[in-house]
Amino acid sequence: MATRRVYVIWTHPLFHESVRLLLNHPDVEWLGATADHVAARIQITSLQPDIIIMEEREDGGVLAEVLEILEASSSDVRVFQLSLAGNELSVYHCERQTMGQAEDLLHLILTC
């Protein structure tokens, strides 16, 4: 199984810490994380992750940011948008799923 290189964009520290714990797996390489969307675009362009996990903002608006990230990335990156409020996960370039368990995120990252 190939190692997945992951970058996280978060709003709440609990989201960041929880995702970090969930992705503690030998086949996941944690590239970095930030709450600053401008810094995230710069780091993503430099690091070229396979997967970007974004915490859905309370106002629900991240689609424009996702498109900017996808356009700035030269690799075949997948963007996962997580909503902890509704157990929802949107995957850009893959599919949309509702997660039932925390481990579903790790499974999706390793198999997507």
Side-chain angles (χ1 to χ4, degrees), residues 18-72:
S18 299
V19 170
R20 177 96 187 197
L21 288 172
L22 284 171
L23 299 182
N24 184 17
H25 189 278
D27 292 326
V28 175
E29 180 182 352
W30 183 273
L31 295 181
T34 186
D36 180 342
H37 289 259
V38 174
R41 283 193 290 278
I42 295 167
Q43 292 172 10
I44 287 166
T45 301
S46 169
L47 297 171
Q48 294 297 311
D50 302 310
I51 296 170
I52 300 165
I53 300 174
M54 298 180 70
E55 179 179 7
E56 183 178 333
R57 294 190 327 222
E58 291 175 7
D59 63 7
V62 295
L63 185 56
E65 293 169 15
V66 170
L67 293 175
E68 287 176 18
I69 288 169
L70 290 172
E71 289 173 0

Coordinates of all heavy atoms in Angstrom, one line a residue, residues 18-72:
S18 N -7.7 16.0 16.7 CA -8.4 14.8 16.5 C -8.0 14.1 15.2 O -7.8 12.9 15.1 CB -9.9 15.1 16.5 OG -10.3 15.6 17.7
V19 N -7.9 14.9 14.1 CA -7.5 14.4 12.8 C -6.1 13.8 12.9 O -5.8 12.7 12.4 CB -7.6 15.4 11.7 CG1 -7.0 14.9 10.4 CG2 -9.1 15.7 11.5
R20 N -5.2 14.5 13.6 CA -3.8 14.1 13.8 C -3.8 12.7 14.5 O -3.0 11.8 14.1 CB -3.0 15.1 14.6 CG -1.6 14.7 14.9 CD -0.7 15.3 13.9 NE 0.7 14.8 14.1 CZ 1.7 15.3 13.6 NH1 1.6 16.4 12.9 NH2 2.9 14.8 13.8
L21 N -4.6 12.5 15.5 CA -4.6 11.2 16.2 C -5.2 10.1 15.4 O -4.7 9.0 15.3 CB -5.4 11.4 17.5 CG -4.8 12.2 18.7 CD1 -5.8 12.4 19.8 CD2 -3.5 11.4 19.1
L22 N -6.3 10.5 14.6 CA -6.9 9.5 13.7 C -6.0 9.0 12.6 O -6.0 7.8 12.2 CB -8.2 10.0 13.1 CG -9.4 10.1 14.0 CD1 -10.5 10.9 13.3 CD2 -9.9 8.8 14.4
L23 N -5.1 9.9 12.2 CA -4.2 9.5 11.1 C -2.8 9.1 11.5 O -1.9 9.0 10.7 CB -4.1 10.7 10.1 CG -5.4 11.2 9.5 CD1 -5.2 12.4 8.5 CD2 -6.1 10.1 8.8
N24 N -2.7 8.7 12.7 CA -1.5 8.1 13.2 C -1.4 6.7 12.7 O -1.8 5.7 13.4 CB -1.4 8.2 14.8 CG -0.1 7.7 15.3 OD1 0.9 7.6 14.6 ND2 -0.1 7.4 16.6
H25 N -0.8 6.6 11.5 CA -0.8 5.3 10.8 C 0.5 5.2 10.0 O 0.9 6.2 9.4 CB -2.0 5.1 9.9 CG -2.2 3.8 9.3 ND1 -1.5 3.4 8.2 CD2 -3.0 2.8 9.7 CE1 -1.9 2.2 7.9 NE2 -2.7 1.8 8.8
P26 N 1.2 4.1 9.9 CA 2.4 4.0 9.2 C 2.3 4.3 7.7 O 3.3 4.7 7.0 CB 2.9 2.6 9.3 CG 1.8 1.8 10.0 CD 0.8 2.8 10.5
D27 N 1.1 4.2 7.1 CA 0.9 4.5 5.7 C 0.4 5.9 5.4 O 0.0 6.3 4.3 CB -0.1 3.5 5.1 CG 0.5 2.1 5.0 OD1 1.7 2.0 4.8 OD2 -0.2 1.2 5.1
V28 N 0.4 6.8 6.5 CA 0.0 8.2 6.4 C 1.2 9.1 6.8 O 1.7 8.9 7.9 CB -1.2 8.5 7.2 CG1 -1.5 10.0 7.2 CG2 -2.4 7.7 6.8
E29 N 1.7 9.9 5.9 CA 2.7 10.9 6.2 C 2.1 12.3 6.4 O 1.5 12.8 5.5 CB 3.7 11.0 5.0 CG 4.8 11.9 5.3 CD 5.8 12.1 4.1 OE1 5.7 11.3 3.1 OE2 6.7 13.0 4.2
W30 N 2.2 12.8 7.6 CA 1.6 14.0 8.0 C 2.6 15.1 7.5 O 3.7 15.3 8.0 CB 1.5 14.1 9.5 CG 0.9 15.3 10.0 CD1 1.5 16.5 10.4 CD2 -0.5 15.5 10.3 NE1 0.6 17.4 10.8 CE2 -0.7 16.8 10.8 CE3 -1.7 14.7 10.2 CZ2 -1.9 17.4 11.2 CZ3 -2.9 15.3 10.6 CH2 -3.0 16.6 11.0
L31 N 2.2 15.9 6.5 CA 3.1 16.9 6.0 C 3.0 18.3 6.7 O 4.0 19.0 6.8 CB 2.7 17.2 4.5 CG 3.0 16.1 3.5 CD1 2.6 16.5 2.1 CD2 4.4 15.6 3.6
G32 N 1.9 18.5 7.3 CA 1.7 19.8 8.0 C 0.2 20.2 8.2 O -0.6 19.5 7.7
A33 N 0.0 21.3 8.9 CA -1.3 21.7 9.1 C -1.3 23.2 9.5 O -0.3 23.7 10.1 CB -2.0 20.9 10.3
T34 N -2.4 23.9 9.2 CA -2.4 25.3 9.6 C -3.9 25.8 9.6 O -4.8 25.1 9.0 CB -1.7 26.2 8.6 OG1 -1.7 27.6 9.1 CG2 -2.3 26.2 7.2
A35 N -4.1 26.9 10.3 CA -5.4 27.5 10.3 C -5.5 28.7 9.4 O -6.5 29.3 9.2 CB -5.8 27.9 11.7
D36 N -4.3 29.0 8.8 CA -4.2 30.2 7.9 C -4.3 29.7 6.5 O -3.4 29.0 5.9 CB -2.8 30.8 8.2 CG -2.6 32.0 7.3 OD1 -3.3 32.2 6.3 OD2 -1.7 32.8 7.7
H37 N -5.4 30.1 5.8 CA -5.7 29.6 4.5 C -4.7 30.1 3.4 O -4.4 29.5 2.5 CB -7.1 29.9 4.1 CG -8.1 29.1 4.8 ND1 -8.7 28.0 4.2 CD2 -8.6 29.2 6.0 CE1 -9.6 27.5 5.1 NE2 -9.5 28.1 6.2
V38 N -4.2 31.3 3.6 CA -3.2 31.9 2.7 C -1.9 31.1 2.8 O -1.3 30.6 1.8 CB -2.9 33.4 3.0 CG1 -1.8 33.9 2.1 CG2 -4.2 34.2 2.7
A39 N -1.5 30.8 4.1 CA -0.3 30.0 4.3 C -0.5 28.6 3.8 O 0.5 28.0 3.2 CB 0.1 30.0 5.8
A40 N -1.7 28.1 3.9 CA -1.9 26.7 3.4 C -1.7 26.6 1.9 O -1.1 25.6 1.5 CB -3.4 26.3 3.8
R41 N -2.2 27.6 1.2 CA -2.0 27.5 -0.3 C -0.5 27.5 -0.6 O -0.1 26.8 -1.5 CB -2.7 28.7 -1.0 CG -4.2 28.4 -1.1 CD -4.9 29.4 -2.0 NE -4.9 30.8 -1.5 CZ -5.8 31.2 -0.7 NH1 -6.7 30.5 -0.2 NH2 -5.7 32.5 -0.3
I42 N 0.3 28.3 0.0 CA 1.7 28.4 -0.2 C 2.4 27.0 0.1 O 3.2 26.5 -0.6 CB 2.4 29.5 0.6 CG1 1.8 30.9 0.1 CG2 3.9 29.5 0.5 CD1 2.2 32.0 0.9
Q43 N 2.0 26.5 1.3 CA 2.6 25.2 1.8 C 2.2 24.1 0.9 O 3.0 23.2 0.6 CB 2.3 25.0 3.2 CG 3.0 26.0 4.2 CD 2.5 25.9 5.6 OE1 1.8 24.9 6.0 NE2 2.9 26.8 6.4
I44 N 1.0 24.1 0.5 CA 0.5 23.0 -0.4 C 1.2 23.0 -1.7 O 1.5 21.9 -2.3 CB -1.1 23.1 -0.6 CG1 -1.8 22.7 0.8 CG2 -1.6 22.3 -1.7 CD1 -3.2 23.1 0.8
T45 N 1.4 24.2 -2.3 CA 2.1 24.3 -3.5 C 3.5 23.7 -3.4 O 4.0 23.0 -4.3 CB 2.2 25.8 -4.0 OG1 0.8 26.2 -4.2 CG2 2.9 25.9 -5.3
S46 N 4.1 24.0 -2.3 CA 5.5 23.5 -2.0 C 5.6 22.0 -1.7 O 6.4 21.3 -2.2 CB 6.1 24.3 -0.9 OG 7.3 23.8 -0.4
L47 N 4.7 21.6 -0.9 CA 4.7 20.2 -0.4 C 4.1 19.2 -1.3 O 4.4 18.0 -1.2 CB 4.1 20.1 1.0 CG 4.8 20.9 2.1 CD1 3.9 21.0 3.4 CD2 6.1 20.4 2.4
Q48 N 3.1 19.6 -2.1 CA 2.4 18.7 -3.0 C 1.8 17.4 -2.3 O 2.2 16.3 -2.7 CB 3.3 18.3 -4.2 CG 3.7 19.4 -5.1 CD 2.5 20.1 -5.8 OE1 1.7 19.4 -6.4 NE2 2.4 21.4 -5.7
P49 N 0.9 17.6 -1.4 CA 0.3 16.5 -0.7 C -0.6 15.7 -1.7 O -1.0 16.2 -2.7 CB -0.5 17.1 0.4 CG -0.8 18.5 -0.1 CD 0.4 18.9 -0.9
D50 N -0.9 14.4 -1.3 CA -1.8 13.6 -2.1 C -3.2 14.0 -1.6 O -4.2 13.9 -2.4 CB -1.6 12.1 -1.8 CG -0.2 11.7 -2.1 OD1 0.2 12.0 -3.3 OD2 0.4 11.0 -1.3
I51 N -3.4 14.3 -0.3 CA -4.7 14.5 0.2 C -4.6 15.8 1.1 O -3.7 16.0 1.9 CB -5.2 13.3 1.1 CG1 -5.3 12.1 0.2 CG2 -6.4 13.6 1.8 CD1 -5.5 10.8 0.9
I52 N -5.7 16.6 1.0 CA -5.8 17.8 1.8 C -7.1 17.6 2.6 O -8.2 17.4 2.0 CB -5.8 19.1 1.0 CG1 -4.5 19.2 0.2 CG2 -6.1 20.3 1.9 CD1 -4.6 20.3 -0.9
I53 N -7.1 17.7 3.9 CA -8.3 17.7 4.7 C -8.6 19.1 5.2 O -7.7 19.7 5.8 CB -8.1 16.7 5.9 CG1 -7.8 15.3 5.4 CG2 -9.3 16.7 6.8 CD1 -7.4 14.3 6.5
M54 N -9.8 19.5 4.9 CA -10.2 20.9 5.3 C -11.4 20.7 6.3 O -12.3 20.0 6.0 CB -10.7 21.7 4.1 CG -9.6 21.9 3.1 SD -10.2 22.9 1.7 CE -10.4 24.5 2.5
E55 N -11.3 21.5 7.4 CA -12.5 21.6 8.3 C -13.5 22.5 7.7 O -13.2 23.6 7.2 CB -12.0 22.1 9.6 CG -13.2 22.2 10.6 CD -12.7 22.7 12.0 OE1 -11.5 23.1 12.1 OE2 -13.6 22.7 12.9
E56 N -14.7 22.1 7.6 CA -15.8 22.9 7.0 C -16.0 24.1 8.0 O -16.1 23.9 9.2 CB -17.1 22.2 6.9 CG -18.2 23.0 6.3 CD -19.5 22.2 6.0 OE1 -19.4 21.0 5.9 OE2 -20.5 22.9 6.1
R57 N -16.0 25.3 7.5 CA -16.2 26.5 8.3 C -17.7 26.5 8.7 O -18.6 26.0 8.1 CB -15.8 27.7 7.5 CG -14.4 27.8 7.2 CD -14.0 29.1 6.7 NE -15.0 29.8 5.9 CZ -14.8 30.4 4.7 NH1 -13.5 30.5 4.3 NH2 -15.7 31.0 4.1
E58 N -17.9 27.3 9.8 CA -19.3 27.4 10.3 C -20.2 28.0 9.3 O -21.4 27.7 9.3 CB -19.2 28.2 11.6 CG -18.6 27.4 12.7 CD -18.4 28.1 14.0 OE1 -18.9 29.3 14.1 OE2 -17.8 27.6 14.9
D59 N -19.7 28.9 8.5 CA -20.6 29.6 7.5 C -20.8 28.7 6.2 O -21.5 29.0 5.3 CB -20.0 30.9 7.0 CG -18.6 30.8 6.3 OD1 -18.2 29.7 6.1 OD2 -18.1 31.9 6.1
G60 N -20.1 27.5 6.3 CA -20.3 26.5 5.2 C -19.5 26.8 3.9 O -19.5 26.1 3.0
G61 N -18.9 28.0 3.8 CA -18.2 28.4 2.6 C -16.8 28.0 2.5 O -15.9 28.7 3.1
V62 N -16.4 27.0 1.8 CA -15.0 26.7 1.5 C -14.8 26.3 0.0 O -13.7 26.1 -0.4 CB -14.5 25.6 2.4 CG1 -14.4 26.0 3.8 CG2 -15.2 24.3 2.2
L63 N -15.9 26.2 -0.7 CA -15.8 25.8 -2.1 C -14.8 26.6 -2.9 O -14.0 26.1 -3.7 CB -17.1 25.7 -2.8 CG -17.1 25.1 -4.2 CD1 -16.6 23.7 -4.2 CD2 -18.5 25.1 -4.8
A64 N -14.9 27.9 -2.8 CA -13.9 28.8 -3.6 C -12.5 28.5 -3.2 O -11.6 28.4 -4.0 CB -14.3 30.2 -3.4
E65 N -12.3 28.3 -1.9 CA -10.9 28.0 -1.4 C -10.5 26.6 -1.9 O -9.3 26.5 -2.3 CB -10.9 28.0 0.1 CG -11.1 29.4 0.7 CD -11.4 29.4 2.2 OE1 -11.1 28.3 2.8 OE2 -11.8 30.4 2.7
V66 N -11.4 25.7 -2.0 CA -11.0 24.3 -2.5 C -10.6 24.5 -3.9 O -9.6 23.9 -4.4 CB -12.2 23.4 -2.4 CG1 -11.9 22.1 -3.1 CG2 -12.5 23.0 -0.9
L67 N -11.4 25.2 -4.7 CA -11.0 25.4 -6.1 C -9.7 26.1 -6.3 O -8.9 25.7 -7.2 CB -12.1 26.2 -6.8 CG -13.5 25.5 -7.0 CD1 -14.5 26.4 -7.6 CD2 -13.3 24.2 -7.8
E68 N -9.4 27.1 -5.5 CA -8.1 27.7 -5.6 C -6.9 26.8 -5.3 O -5.9 26.8 -5.9 CB -8.0 28.9 -4.6 CG -8.9 30.1 -5.0 CD -8.8 31.2 -3.9 OE1 -7.9 31.2 -3.1 OE2 -9.7 32.1 -4.0
I69 N -7.1 25.9 -4.3 CA -6.1 24.9 -3.9 C -5.9 23.9 -5.0 O -4.8 23.6 -5.4 CB -6.5 24.3 -2.6 CG1 -6.3 25.2 -1.4 CG2 -5.6 23.0 -2.4 CD1 -6.9 24.8 -0.1
L70 N -7.0 23.5 -5.6 CA -6.9 22.5 -6.7 C -6.2 23.1 -7.9 O -5.4 22.4 -8.5 CB -8.3 22.0 -7.1 CG -9.0 21.1 -6.0 CD1 -10.4 20.8 -6.5 CD2 -8.2 19.8 -5.8
E71 N -6.5 24.4 -8.2 CA -5.9 25.0 -9.3 C -4.4 25.3 -9.1 O -3.6 25.2 -10.0 CB -6.6 26.3 -9.6 CG -7.9 26.1 -10.2 CD -8.7 27.4 -10.4 OE1 -8.2 28.5 -10.0 OE2 -9.8 27.4 -10.9
A72 N -4.0 25.5 -7.8 CA -2.6 25.8 -7.5 C -1.8 24.6 -7.4 O -0.5 24.7 -7.5 CB -2.5 26.6 -6.1

